[in-house]
């Protein structure tokens, strides 16, 4: 597949997402109110605790972590599960399967445009606001480059988790159920709803080895220079963690997809 | 039509209850034919509640109190909010389909029946998953109640029932407003998702907000009424704020307004003649 064709898919995705600018702005606005809620909650929590540092996290650390996790969540969010189940029910999936391109790659590159738009419309504005509000609590330097690498790896991991779960839709029509299970597990174990640093020691060790951490927790640590990510070798080991999971998930989702796609049943179309 | 219109208004509660029962049975029959879906969805619902609970435990492991609220009082709020959010989940879940039906034009079928459009539309879906949440909420509330040691009397139970009913009206109203925006604009799905997300904060005491946001979450997006104000009627009956006292009336008012907003949307839909 030539890069030119892939870029064409990305461009189509960008144009499609720009059709829904209003949606993006509503999301941005709502996020701000949502973050205000998060702010007051954690402010009250830290005010009641009596100490400034809990489990190595100050109030500012926690806030930056949670705000950027939300921003990252909005930017990485995919609806592969929904789209695929809708396409199966309508029969449209047949058309996608007949395309002269592997289905998974087609889906990935179709989504890439959406990610590009959301990165600029939601992540960058949030990042800039955090940067100004915290007066430089986020280090500005080579870590930004490390962060980009980590985000791309996170994107790949996230996409293949989605793909694995979406393939289940070939077996059952319970899209809502499957999706809510996936979302709950990813949000809790990736550190998006409560920083992993607050988890009990034993739980943190287990959760630390799971792939969900590669989606939110690792990129944020790389960005904030935590967990040894302030050096190149430290960052590289975190990338390694992400890459290993990316490879495992790519293999697993490809295998699962190839086995399952033969079972596809489409009513009409 | 005018005769029908008159008939429609003179029909009593009994008539609507019997219709609701009939539609409910049809809906449950449909659901039963997708048994796997039912099992997976229920599992998903329980998992969400469990995850919320785990988050809660982790939080309290690190921080013993939040703004003067200890573990059991917070659990009380949490359980209360889960119960208060059950009616919107069980009885008003069809709001989520409104935008698709308005867009595709299928909504017109609801306008041609000689019964209340809002009633007919909502009665079509009963969400069984909500019952899992109810059970989880009840368990949490009873556990917290026992540990706090509030006396169990006929009075306190009656108060609890009244205030849970009150609290549920607020979330129903919020979702009615959010869903009805579909009659005016595209992208109402986003509005619904956002409003639905705010409910996650209903389980924390509203006293953590500064005055501006406390006002916002009391009068504009009234999530403080989903658990905080109503719970105070039971947890702190001697020093309950004014908002707790007026909550039942305010709840009815907000629900009534949301119903009117929704019906106004229906009128507008008729007008477009699609």
């Amino acid at each position: 597949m030539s890069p030119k064709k892939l870029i064409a898919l990305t461009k189509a995705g960008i144009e499609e997402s720009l059709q829904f600018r209003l949606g993006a702005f509503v999301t941005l606005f709502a996020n701000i109110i949502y973050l205000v809620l998060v702010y007051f909650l954690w402010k009250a929590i830290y005010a009641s605790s009596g100490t400034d540092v809990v489990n190595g996290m100050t109030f500012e650390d926690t806030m930056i972590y949670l705000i950027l996790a939300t921003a990252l969540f909005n930017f990485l969010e995919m609806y592969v599960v929904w789209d695929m189940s809708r396409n199966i029910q309508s029969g449209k999936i047949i058309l996608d399967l007949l395309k002269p391109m592997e289905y998974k790659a087609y889906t990935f590159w179709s989504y890439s445009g959406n990610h590009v738009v959301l990165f600029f419309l939601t992540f960058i504005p949030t990042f800039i606001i955090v940067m100004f509000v915290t007066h430089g609590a986020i280090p500005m330097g080579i870590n930004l480059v490390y962060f980009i690498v980590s985000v791309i790896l996170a994107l790949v991991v996230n996409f293949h988790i989605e793909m694995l779960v979406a393939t289940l839709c070939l077996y059952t029509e319970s899209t809502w159920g499957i999706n809510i299970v996936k979302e709950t597990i990813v949000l809790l174990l990736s550190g998006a709803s409560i920083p992993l640093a607050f988890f009990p020691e034993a739980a943190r060790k287990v959760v630390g080895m799971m792939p969900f951490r590669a989606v939110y927790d690792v990129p944020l640590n790389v960005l904030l220079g935590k967990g040894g990510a302030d050096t190149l070798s430290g960052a590289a080991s975190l990338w390694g963690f992400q890459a290993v999971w990316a490879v495992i998930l790519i293999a697993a989702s490809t295998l699962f997809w190839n086995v399952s796609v033969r079972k596809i049943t489409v009513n009409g179309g | 039509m005018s005769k029908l219109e008159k008939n429609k208004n003179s029909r009593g509660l009994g008539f609507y209850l019997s219709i609701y029962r009939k539609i409910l049975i049809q809906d449950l029959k449909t659901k039963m034919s997708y048994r796997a879906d039912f099992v997976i969805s229920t599992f998903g619902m329980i998992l969400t509640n469990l995850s919320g609970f785990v988050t809660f435990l982790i939080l309290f492991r690190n921080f013993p109190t939040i703004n003067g609220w200890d573990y059991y009082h917070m659990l009380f709020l949490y359980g209360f909010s889960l119960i208060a959010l059950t009616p919107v989940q069980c009885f008003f879940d069809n709001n989520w389909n409104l935008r698709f039906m308005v867009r595709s034009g299928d909504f017109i079928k609801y306008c041609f029946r000689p019964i209340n459009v809002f009633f007919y539309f909502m009665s079509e879906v009963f969400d069984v998953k909500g019952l899992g949440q109810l059970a989880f909420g009840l368990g949490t509330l009873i556990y917290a109640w026992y540990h706090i040691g509030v006396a169990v009397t006929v009075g306190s139970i009656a108060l609890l029932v009244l205030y849970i009913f009150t609290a549920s009206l607020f979330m129903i109203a919020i979702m009615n407003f959010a869903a009805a925006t579909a009659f005016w604009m595209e992208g109402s799905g986003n509005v619904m998702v956002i409003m639905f997300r705010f409910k996650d904060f209903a389980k924390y005491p509203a006293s953590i907000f500064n005055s501006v946001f406390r006002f916002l979450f009391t009068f504009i997006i009234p999530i403080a009424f989903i658990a905080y104000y109503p719970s105070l009627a039971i947890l702190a009956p001697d020093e309950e704020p004014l908002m707790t006292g007026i909550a039942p009336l305010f709840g009815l008012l907000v629900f009534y307004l949301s119903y009117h907003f929704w019906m106004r949307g229906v009128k507008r839909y008729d007008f477009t003649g699609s």
Side-chain angles (χ1 to χ4, degrees):
Chain A
M1 197 49 52
S2 74
K4 212 173 136 194
K5 283 180 190 159
L6 300 181
I7 288 168
L9 279 176
T10 308
K11 243 178 85 185
I14 291 177
E15 274 157 22
E16 203 181 306
S17 331
L18 284 177
Q19 290 293 318
F20 298 100
R21 265 165 309 198
L22 182 70
F25 283 119
V26 171
T27 311
L28 187 65
F29 172 74
N31 269 336
I32 292 169
I33 298 190
Y34 187 79
L35 291 174
V36 168
L37 283 166
V38 176
Y39 169 81
F40 280 116
L41 174 64
W42 285 91
K43 208 175 115 175
I45 290 174
Y46 269 91
S48 316
S49 82
T51 58
D52 287 341
V53 183
V54 180
N55 277 1
M57 299 278 278
T58 64
F59 170 62
E60 278 208 331
D61 288 339
T62 309
M63 273 320 287
I64 294 172
Y65 184 98
L66 286 172
I67 290 175
L68 294 180
T70 308
L72 212 52
F73 171 74
N74 287 313
F75 146 63
L76 288 176
E77 202 178 14
M78 300 181 113
Y79 299 96
V80 179
V81 179
W82 290 111
D83 288 345
M84 199 193 286
S85 90
R86 207 172 311 133
N87 286 346
I88 290 170
Q89 276 164 24
S90 72
K92 186 183 170 281
I93 194 162
I94 291 297
L95 295 176
D96 293 338
L97 287 171
L98 288 173
K99 286 202 168 76
M101 183 174 181
E102 202 215 338
Y103 181 79
K104 217 167 56 151
Y106 174 74
T107 313
F108 183 81
W109 289 98
S110 304
Y111 264 100
S112 61
N114 188 39
H115 287 310
V116 172
V117 171
L118 286 177
F119 185 75
F120 287 106
L121 280 186
T122 66
F123 188 79
I124 296 282
T126 317
F127 183 77
I128 292 172
I129 292 170
V130 173
M131 210 173 74
F132 278 110
V133 172
T134 59
H135 308 292
I138 305 174
M140 286 289 150
I142 191 74
N143 63 319
L144 293 182
V145 180
Y146 295 171
F147 174 66
I148 301 283
V149 177
S150 188
V151 163
I152 291 169
L153 284 165
L155 203 101
V156 175
V157 170
N158 189 45
F159 174 74
H160 286 93
I161 293 176
E162 286 270 335
M163 236 1 238
L164 259 178
V165 177
T167 308
L168 283 174
C169 291
L170 296 173
Y171 297 92
T172 165
E173 283 162 12
S174 179
T175 319
W176 187 90
I178 289 180
N179 205 55
I180 196 91
V181 170
K182 181 212 77 191
E183 209 156 275
T184 307
I185 292 177
V186 172
L187 281 185
L188 179 65
L189 300 184
S190 65
S193 49
I194 187 161
L196 292 183
F198 291 120
F199 280 50
E201 187 65 36
R204 200 166 55 211
K205 266 192 192 131
V206 177
V207 174
M209 296 198 291
M210 293 184 181
F212 310 108
R213 187 170 81 97
V215 184
Y216 300 110
D217 191 58
V218 170
L220 289 176
N221 278 327
V222 170
L223 181 64
L224 301 175
K226 300 235 166 196
D230 42 355
T231 62
L232 180 59
S233 63
S237 75
L238 286 172
W239 293 335
F241 173 79
Q242 287 181 301
V244 167
W245 270 113
V247 170
I248 295 174
L249 287 166
I250 289 171
S253 74
T254 309
L255 191 70
F256 189 33
W257 173 254
N258 289 343
V259 171
S260 309
V261 77
R262 289 188 212 125
K263 295 200 194 309
I264 196 165
T265 41
V266 171
N267 309 314
Chain B
M1 189 65 199
S2 69
K3 203 175 165 193
L4 269 179
E5 200 68 40
K6 213 182 262 168
N7 264 341
K8 191 160 130 183
N9 293 332
S10 62
R11 272 167 184 159
L13 193 64
F15 171 77
Y16 275 104
L17 277 178
S18 84
I19 290 224
Y20 193 86
R21 199 174 57 88
K22 281 179 191 148
I23 302 178
L24 175 72
I25 291 171
Q26 286 312 315
D27 182 45
L28 289 181
K29 276 184 189 158
T30 326
K31 294 239 171 72
M32 279 308 173
S33 57
Y34 296 103
R35 201 153 303 180
D37 177 50
F38 174 73
V39 173
I40 297 174
S41 303
T42 309
F43 174 70
M45 199 73 183
I46 293 171
L47 200 69
T48 352
N49 289 327
L50 266 180
S51 151
F53 193 68
V54 168
T55 312
F56 197 87
L57 288 182
I58 293 174
L59 210 57
F60 268 96
R61 212 187 126 265
N62 292 285
F63 308 93
T65 67
I66 295 177
N67 209 348
W69 288 64
D70 68 10
Y71 177 66
Y72 293 113
H73 283 78
M74 287 291 292
L75 264 189
F76 187 92
L77 271 190
Y78 184 46
F80 192 98
S81 74
L82 285 181
I83 301 172
L85 291 171
T86 302
V88 74
Q89 183 75 39
C90 284
F91 301 111
F92 295 86
D93 205 44
N94 214 16
N95 261 332
W96 288 97
N97 297 325
L98 184 64
R99 62 182 193 278
F100 300 118
M101 296 203 171
V102 166
R103 254 182 102 170
S104 68
D106 289 340
F107 187 77
I108 200 76
K109 81 168 189 193
Y110 300 98
C111 307
F112 289 149
R113 303 291 151 89
I115 50 173
N116 182 296
V117 181
F118 180 76
F119 168 81
Y120 181 36
F121 181 78
M122 293 306 171
S123 66
E124 232 182 25
V125 170
F126 175 84
D127 192 40
V128 194
K129 299 188 294 290
L131 296 178
Q133 175 171 319
L134 179 67
F136 203 86
L138 271 177
T140 311
L141 188 80
I142 291 169
Y143 177 76
W145 186 304
Y146 171 76
H147 279 275
I148 293 169
V150 181
V152 182
T153 62
V154 178
S156 63
I157 298 289
L159 207 59
L160 180 72
V161 172
L162 168 72
Y163 270 99
I164 282 179
F165 174 74
T166 299
S168 67
L169 288 177
F170 285 95
M171 193 60 198
I172 295 169
I174 291 174
M175 293 316 279
N176 282 344
F177 272 116
T181 55
F183 290 113
W184 284 271
M185 58 181 261
E186 297 268 317
S188 63
N190 281 319
V191 180
M192 290 196 78
V193 170
I194 289 153
M195 289 304 159
F196 202 62
R197 233 168 95 189
F198 282 145
K199 80 173 186 339
D200 293 342
F201 281 83
K203 59 177 181 274
Y204 300 109
S207 54
I208 62 175
F209 303 120
N210 70 12
S211 53
V212 176
F213 283 93
R214 206 176 309 168
F215 181 84
L216 177 73
F217 295 127
T218 302
F219 296 109
I220 314 293
I221 308 170
I223 53 167
F225 282 101
I226 295 172
Y228 177 67
Y229 289 130
S231 295
L232 287 179
I234 291 147
L235 293 178
D238 302 328
E239 42 188 296
E240 63 174 49
L242 175 67
M243 285 304 145
T244 304
I246 65 162
L249 285 178
F250 190 48
L252 286 173
L253 176 71
V254 173
F255 177 77
Y256 179 77
L257 289 176
S258 77
Y259 168 73
H260 260 261
F261 182 68
W262 205 96
M263 291 300 269
R264 184 169 269 246
V266 175
K267 273 228 172 77
R268 198 188 125 87
Y269 185 77
D270 271 351
F271 253 81
T272 57
S274 38

